[in-house]
């Protein structure tokens, strides 16, 4: 019973895949995540986009890169995501 509890608590962090829109700030990226979700009434697939402020300690991502981000504790007022890996350049 305790083993299943430990497994479920280890995977609490959310991850998203998105495209870097801006890297003009120090150690901060703006990543746009596009989700394809069904419309609640008409069930047609629509795109919903959201921008996330992401902490990039090494400054390795550039504009246009596809990146994976992971949820972390708040770093600043708007930043609560950090860069996990750069998928494509």
């Amino acid at each position: 019973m305790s083993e299943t509890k430990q497994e479920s608590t280890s995977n609490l962090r959310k991850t998203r895949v998105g495209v870097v829109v801006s890297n003009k700030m120090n150690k901060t990226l703006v990543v746009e995540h596009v989700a394809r979700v069904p419309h609640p009434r008409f069930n047609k697939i629509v795109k919903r986009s959201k921008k996330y402020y992401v902490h990039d300690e090494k400054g390795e991502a550039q504009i246009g890169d596809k990146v994976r981000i992971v949820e972390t504790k708040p770093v600043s007022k708007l930043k609560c995501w950090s860069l996990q890996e750069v998928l494509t350049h």
Side-chain angles (χ1 to χ4, degrees), residues 1-2 5 11 15 17 21 28 32 35 39 43 52-53 57-58 61-62 67 72 76 86:
M1 189 80 148
S2 63
K5 200 176 224 183
N11 201 6
T15 60
V17 174
V21 178
T28 303
E32 184 176 33
H39 189 276
N43 290 327
Y52 295 100
Y53 285 84
E57 185 69 36
K58 300 175 186 173
Q62 300 299 320
V67 295
T72 59
S76 67
V86 177

Side-chain angles (χ1 to χ4, degrees), residues 38-82:
H39 189 276
R41 184 171 180 185
F42 303 115
N43 290 327
K44 179 183 175 180
I45 300 296
V46 292
K47 292 181 182 178
R48 299 285 165 99
S49 64
K50 185 170 180 183
K51 292 181 181 177
Y52 295 100
Y53 285 84
V54 179
H55 184 68
D56 182 13
E57 185 69 36
K58 300 175 186 173
E60 54 193 21
Q62 300 299 320
I63 295 176
D65 289 352
K66 192 174 191 179
V67 295
R68 177 174 286 122
I69 59 176
V70 63
E71 190 177 37
T72 59
K73 65 179 186 175
V75 180
S76 67
K77 180 181 175 182
L78 298 175
K79 277 198 293 187
C80 56
W81 295 81
S82 65

Side-chain angles (χ1 to χ4, degrees), residues 3-32:
E3 293 177 20
T4 58
K5 200 176 224 183
Q6 289 176 351
E7 290 175 12
S8 63
T9 58
S10 65
N11 201 6
L12 291 177
R13 293 183 175 179
K14 299 175 189 171
T15 60
R16 304 277 187 265
V17 174
V19 178
V20 177
V21 178
S22 172
N23 63 351
K24 301 291 183 184
M25 297 170 274
N26 292 331
K27 299 184 181 181
T28 303
L29 303 171
V30 180
V31 175
E32 184 176 33

